[in-house]
Amino acid sequence: MARNTRAKKTAEETKVDIGAEIFESLRDLEKLKGIPVDYMVERLKQALTNAYRKDREDHRDVPAENVVVELSEKGLRMYQLKTVVEELEDTALEIHIDAARNIDPNAQVGDTISIPVAIEKFGRIAAQTAKQVVIQGIREAERGMAYESYSSKSQELLSGTVLRLEPSGDAIVAVGSGNDAHNAILRQSEQIPGETYREGDKIRVYVLEARQSARSTNVFVSRTHPNVVRRLFELETPEIAEGQVEIRNIAREPGSRSKMAVRAALEGIDPVGACVGPRGGRVAAVVEELHGEKIDIVVWSEDPCQYVKAALSPAEVLSVDLIPGQKACRVVVPDDQLSLAIGKEGQNARLAARLTGYKIDIKSASNAAAMEA
């Protein structure tokens, strides 16, 4: 006889009328933790399925696909699927045709019949198993939600509160609020040199990435990334937020000095003036957030010579000559500007080179004239 895979349900079903109570609890959990009701319903179904499989009287392991759980606000029902046969070989998966017809008079050999399960007879071990699966489901959901939330926040600037300092030097920073709250890791290598933190300090951090592991979601943040400067100016400068001024590049030595190249997207706008702000208020706010880090704002140019000249600000530049076949240039400055162009420990020249992407060879006017002669 051809096998009929249709599932037949009986009129007498084992029903536990706790559906409304369960869904009310799940809705409360969704408000508290932000975990979707549908997700937890599936976890509860899985928990009940595993509990039944482990707590059977015959101690037989029944495949999960042979156990059906129906959970709704109307109630909770559970069935085991068995195949109707003439000769019984596996009592865990098969039912004799005579026994099947006691449940469903129309049962035929090869049919799949649904046999009600008495949920209330589950033992203590089954209940504990279900509870653990639900707890694990909540934790997995929280980890998944945190990962999705902070993956989408990558490259954003967030406000946070320092919770504690680890012996390794890393700082744990609380970011977000409500269901979106999470403890982020500010590694020592991502902290501004010379900056010290105390519990309760309010700081702004840049989200580098979120990493998901088997036990947790780790969010890594930074105070040293060049985009910290970018995001701070976006917050302080309406012209940048509105797209009238564009930040082209940033070179940064955290805690000491940064150079930022900007350009106007619209005619008639002074990009440097917009970033500096009235009476220098905008750049001052960024400097204060970075605890005194100096910031040079220069105009970006398509002309490499003009760009290099601007990047060496505040030094005066007499000439810039590109070296053919190389991304390099020779720069001549007045004799009294040489130390300013190079900067303390070469910092100004180093940042200018990183900002423009050109290797810069700086000579004083007298030295250049002597070499030319």
Side-chain angles (χ1 to χ4, degrees):
M1 180 181 295
R3 179 179 178 85
N4 184 355
T5 58
R6 70 182 185 277
K8 297 184 177 181
K9 299 181 181 179
T10 68
E12 297 180 359
E13 298 173 331
T14 299
K15 177 180 178 182
V16 179
D17 293 321
I18 59 173
E21 181 180 347
I22 290 175
F23 273 80
E24 182 178 356
S25 299
L26 294 182
R27 279 191 288 268
D28 290 341
L29 183 63
E30 184 174 35
K31 292 178 182 178
L32 181 65
K33 296 284 190 178
I35 303 174
V37 170
D38 292 344
Y39 175 86
M40 286 310 304
V41 167
E42 291 304 313
R43 298 299 307 200
L44 281 168
K45 287 182 178 180
Q46 179 183 345
L48 289 168
T49 299
N50 290 341
Y52 172 70
R53 295 172 63 197
K54 291 185 178 182
D55 202 44
R56 286 173 50 84
E57 293 180 358
D58 59 5
H59 303 291
R60 294 290 301 278
D61 187 12
V62 177
E65 58 266 23
N66 282 62
V67 182
V68 178
V69 178
E70 294 180 354
L71 177 59
S72 68
E73 296 198 54
K74 296 180 180 179
L76 173 63
R77 299 177 179 87
M78 194 169 181
Y79 311 94
Q80 184 190 343
L81 303 182
K82 289 189 176 184
T83 302
V84 180
V85 296
E86 286 184 343
E87 295 183 5
L88 193 61
E89 296 180 358
D90 188 344
T91 57
L93 301 176
E94 298 173 345
I95 183 172
H96 192 272
I97 180 64
D98 294 336
R101 285 176 176 168
N102 289 333
I103 300 173
D104 182 358
N106 298 318
Q108 302 292 329
V109 173
D111 286 354
T112 299
I113 191 167
S114 300
I115 303 173
V117 174
I119 301 175
E120 65 275 9
K121 292 183 179 180
F122 282 176
R124 178 176 57 85
I125 295 177
Q128 289 177 345
T129 301
K131 180 180 178 181
Q132 289 301 318
V133 172
V134 172
I135 292 173
Q136 182 182 357
I138 293 174
R139 289 173 179 168
E140 288 178 359
E142 290 177 334
R143 288 198 299 269
M145 291 167 60
Y147 177 75
E148 291 179 7
S149 175
Y150 284 91
S151 290
S152 66
K153 287 183 174 64
S154 178
Q155 301 184 16
E156 285 188 16
L157 194 68
L158 301 179
S159 296
T161 303
V162 177
L163 291 182
R164 66 180 183 275
L165 301 176
E166 302 288 358
S168 62
D170 295 349
I172 307 301
V173 182
V175 294
S177 59
N179 293 331
D180 203 30
H182 200 79
N183 291 347
I185 302 171
L186 178 61
R187 289 173 290 196
Q188 189 174 31
S189 60
E190 298 295 336
Q191 298 172 20
I192 296 176
E195 225 176 39
T196 56
Y197 308 108
R198 293 177 298 180
E199 293 182 8
D201 283 352
K202 304 292 184 182
I203 59 174
R204 281 176 169 161
V205 292
Y206 178 77
V207 180
L208 293 174
E209 63 174 337
R211 295 180 190 171
Q212 191 171 30
S213 65
R215 294 187 177 183
S216 64
T217 294
N218 292 324
V219 178
F220 295 94
V221 295
S222 174
R223 291 269 294 166
T224 62
H225 198 283
N227 279 348
V228 172
V229 176
R230 182 187 298 272
R231 296 291 179 256
L232 287 171
F233 272 102
E234 288 174 352
L235 291 173
E236 296 292 338
T237 311
E239 289 86 346
I240 295 177
E242 294 168 3
Q244 299 174 9
V245 173
E246 179 185 356
I247 299 175
R248 294 290 298 187
N249 198 14
I250 295 172
R252 186 183 183 201
E253 293 189 357
S256 179
R257 192 173 183 179
S258 291
K259 285 183 178 287
M260 182 173 75
V262 296
R263 66 177 289 271
L266 297 176
E267 292 185 5
I269 293 179
D270 175 11
V272 175
C275 295
V276 171
R279 299 182 180 179
R282 294 171 181 173
V283 69
V286 175
V287 170
E288 182 180 1
E289 173 63 34
L290 299 178
H291 296 176
E293 182 175 318
K294 296 178 181 179
I295 300 175
D296 298 333
I297 306 172
V298 304
V299 177
W300 177 88
S301 174
E302 291 183 355
D303 182 351
C305 294
Q306 288 297 322
Y307 190 18
V308 169
K309 186 176 180 179
L312 285 169
S313 172
E316 179 187 345
V317 176
L318 296 177
S319 65
V320 178
D321 296 312
L322 300 182
I323 300 175
Q326 301 179 41
K327 198 166 186 181
C329 62
R330 295 186 182 93
V331 174
V332 177
V333 300
D335 289 7
D336 62 350
Q337 297 283 302
L338 181 61
S339 60
L340 184 62
I342 295 174
K344 184 179 180 180
E345 298 179 352
Q347 186 184 63
N348 193 60
R350 186 167 59 249
L351 286 173
R354 283 165 51 188
L355 186 72
T356 61
Y358 278 78
K359 183 178 179 180
I360 303 174
D361 180 20
I362 303 175
K363 300 292 184 184
S364 66
S366 60
N367 193 0
M371 290 180 64
E372 189 174 333

